[in-house]
Amino acid sequence: MNTQSVRAVSRVVRGMPTSDGAGVKLTRVIGQPRLSDLDPFLMLDEFGTDNPGDYIAGFPDHPHRGFETVTYMLDGRMRHRDNHGHEGVLVPGSVQWMTAGRGIVHSEMPEQQEGRMRGFQLWINLPARDKMTAPKYQEFGPERIPAVDLGGGARVRVIAGRAAGVTGPIVQPATDPTYLDVELEPGARLSQPLAAGYSAFLYVYEGTVRVGAGASAATVGAHELAVLTDGDSVQIEGREAPPDGTLNRAILVAGRPLREPVAKHGPFVMSTREELIQAFEDYQSGNF
Ligand code: FE
């Protein structure tokens, strides 16, 4: 691309209510019939409820191979433990970027904190060459995620990538991700560079924003995901604050598409059918 262009909204998708794990109620935004994937992003779930009955059974032991799971907590806690001895608790504002690689078996159990539990889980594919890499975690508490005040009522937490010259803690060269948590007062604006050719989406979780420039700008409301067209930046403006006093809040996510064949079934995301069968066999024989 040799001219600068501001990304627009190519489509707006609402999530589908579903349940996963041991009956956790959640909203699946990517990885459902209206948006099956957005290479390299395979799945986006929003979980958010004030009713502990919706989540307390959690996600008991289950495997993953061949991709990364990214959990970002807004409210409540997530206690996790895997079969390699890694365990801990994600508190509000923390992120766990788990590279499942050749395989882990873990549990993810939400815990109440003043009754609320809210956050996201994003699945990001790994290139074929990295699918059987050793499992690893990049896990950061809220104090390790830089918060940038952009002025004019715009604030950003930088989980991955760069915003206003500040770099987030996550390192993942393969997909080179950007993951920003954006907060906009009414009329506040964010202009964020995003590499041309990268897939990008904005998911609004509170309030309403305008996305794009000039006549092509589109309004995106709470619990809507905007798939962005190609371009080298995005412009977002906060609309009126919701009557309940919350602000306009969204996650802005972008990454380099892998453009590789995907063979996936449940918690395994490989490149070929043979590798999927091998994943089942390895899991069942206890080789994760
Ligand atoms: Fe999991």
Side-chain angles (χ1 to χ4, degrees), residues 62 64 106 108:
H62 59 277
H64 295 286
H106 74 162
E108 296 159 285

Side-chain angles (χ1 to χ4, degrees), residues 63-83:
H64 295 286
R65 174 181 278 184
F67 63 105
E68 302 188 293
T69 70
V70 177
T71 307
Y72 178 47
M73 298 300 292
L74 296 170
D75 295 308
R77 291 181 302 224
M78 185 80 87
R79 185 173 295 277
H80 59 89
R81 180 200 299 254
D82 77 12
N83 62 329

Side-chain angles (χ1 to χ4, degrees), residues 221-253:
H223 309 292
E224 291 181 333
L225 179 144
V227 179
L228 303 182
T229 62
D230 200 2
D232 52 25
S233 70
V234 62
Q235 294 180 10
I236 309 165
E237 183 181 333
R239 305 304 279 175
E240 292 74 34
D244 62 3
T246 57
L247 291 173
N248 305 295
R249 301 179 72 188
I251 53 171
L252 174 62
V253 178

Side-chain angles (χ1 to χ4, degrees), residues 50-68:
D50 295 341
N51 175 13
D54 289 347
Y55 59 79
I56 210 71
F59 301 88
D61 275 348
H62 59 277
H64 295 286
R65 174 181 278 184
F67 63 105
E68 302 188 293

Side-chain angles (χ1 to χ4, degrees), residues 24-77:
V24 178
K25 289 183 185 165
L26 48 82
T27 302
R28 183 146 296 161
V29 193
I30 300 176
Q32 46 113 346
R34 289 176 209 141
L35 184 61
S36 60
D37 72 279
L38 191 66
D39 182 18
F41 307 111
L42 302 160
M43 197 192 82
L44 175 69
D45 284 345
E46 178 184 26
F47 39 92
T49 175
D50 295 341
N51 175 13
D54 289 347
Y55 59 79
I56 210 71
F59 301 88
D61 275 348
H62 59 277
H64 295 286
R65 174 181 278 184
F67 63 105
E68 302 188 293
T69 70
V70 177
T71 307
Y72 178 47
M73 298 300 292
L74 296 170
D75 295 308
R77 291 181 302 224

